[in-house]
Amino acid sequence: MKHIKRRERESNEIRRKIIEAARSLFLNQGYAEVSMRKIADQIEYSPTTIYHYFANKEAVVRELLMEGNALFLQALQQRLEEAEAAGLNAMDRLKTVSDAYVRFGMANPEYYNILFISDLESVSPVSLIDSGRFKGFELLEAGLQAAMKEGSIIQEDERLIARSVWSMLHGLTSLLLNFELPVTRSNDELISFTIDTFFRGLSR
């Protein structure tokens, strides 16, 4: 039994090394430039070993997408549940989910890049059932509908507004990740100010 558990642990460790190496290579060199051999060289294993865990490069991408999607959705749902438990109104819950989006990107820049910038889903599509991006958009839409019903946001096309909110959040997150912004205050203040100001414009 101990022998089996040790083999399982070793197998999981190798799989994790493959995923982490691939994640770094895809982001630094681009999908087209990365081969299974390059991934193997990165972790000093033979290509044969890599193929034991993943059939091809697309399978590695899919694993990365599934993992990133799960982490993203978990981050949003956790913050939403905390906001609901605290008894926050619909508008404040919406701001909380928006804040969670930006915080996820800052805490997980590589996964954010994979999910929202590199567009690796075009290489290895993820079903809507597994897509954290799609479910995250649904959370945003549901939050907007609740805020409209509450009367704190103007009654408009929630899908159009959701796309606008997502655009704002993506732009803010991308700026924070890729540029040194010339600001005198902290990123926390910038995030809060941007989200508050944006939603104030949608308020009645």
Side-chain angles (χ1 to χ4, degrees), residues 154-190:
I154 55 176
Q155 291 282 347
E156 296 288 351
D157 181 348
E158 67 269 8
R159 176 146 292 200
L160 175 63
I161 297 176
R163 288 179 180 274
S164 180
V165 174
W166 199 291
S167 297
M168 176 271 292
L169 295 174
H170 177 64
L172 175 59
T173 307
S174 299
L175 282 172
L176 289 170
L177 291 179
N178 297 299
F179 297 94
E180 288 291 335
L181 298 176
V183 295
T184 57
R185 300 193 177 186
S186 69
N187 286 340
D188 289 342
E189 290 177 294
L190 175 62

Side-chain angles (χ1 to χ4, degrees), residues 11-203:
S11 178
N12 289 335
E13 288 174 356
I14 294 173
R15 190 178 185 88
R16 170 52 42 193
K17 286 181 180 180
I18 295 169
I19 289 297
E20 290 178 354
R23 186 176 64 205
S24 176
L25 287 169
F26 287 143
L27 291 177
N28 292 324
Q29 299 183 22
Y31 175 81
E33 298 300 318
V34 177
S35 64
M36 293 292 271
R37 178 172 291 280
K38 276 190 176 182
I39 297 173
D41 289 343
Q42 182 81 359
I43 57 176
E44 298 181 343
Y45 281 93
S46 69
T48 303
T49 301
I50 305 296
Y51 282 111
H52 177 73
Y53 293 90
F54 296 97
N56 49 42
K57 190 168 62 169
E58 289 75 16
V60 179
V61 170
R62 181 172 178 79
E63 184 81 8
L64 277 170
L65 289 170
M66 295 285 286
E67 189 168 273
N69 274 307
L71 289 171
F72 173 67
L73 188 59
Q74 181 183 28
L76 267 59
Q77 288 179 326
Q78 181 177 339
R79 290 288 302 281
L80 178 59
E81 289 170 3
E82 292 171 355
E84 290 173 340
L88 298 185
N89 62 32
M91 175 63 91
D92 286 337
R93 293 198 302 271
L94 190 54
K95 289 179 180 179
T96 297
V97 171
S98 298
D99 181 84
Y101 177 105
V102 182
R103 302 291 177 178
F104 171 83
M106 294 180 68
N108 305 275
E110 290 187 338
Y111 277 119
Y112 187 84
N113 193 311
I114 286 170
L115 293 176
F116 298 106
I117 298 176
S118 299
D119 193 29
L120 288 181
E121 279 197 18
S122 62
V123 175
S124 183
V126 172
S127 71
L128 292 181
I129 295 176
D130 299 318
S131 176
R133 295 194 301 182
F134 179 76
K135 291 179 180 178
F137 188 77
E138 285 187 323
L139 278 180
L140 192 57
E141 276 193 314
L144 285 166
Q145 289 172 352
M148 288 177 185
K149 185 176 180 180
E150 182 183 74
S152 53
I153 286 184
I154 55 176
Q155 291 282 347
E156 296 288 351
D157 181 348
E158 67 269 8
R159 176 146 292 200
L160 175 63
I161 297 176
R163 288 179 180 274
S164 180
V165 174
W166 199 291
S167 297
M168 176 271 292
L169 295 174
H170 177 64
L172 175 59
T173 307
S174 299
L175 282 172
L176 289 170
L177 291 179
N178 297 299
F179 297 94
E180 288 291 335
L181 298 176
V183 295
T184 57
R185 300 193 177 186
S186 69
N187 286 340
D188 289 342
E189 290 177 294
L190 175 62
I191 294 168
S192 178
F193 175 81
T194 303
I195 292 173
D196 286 344
T197 302
F198 188 91
F199 281 110
R200 193 177 302 124
L202 296 174
S203 300

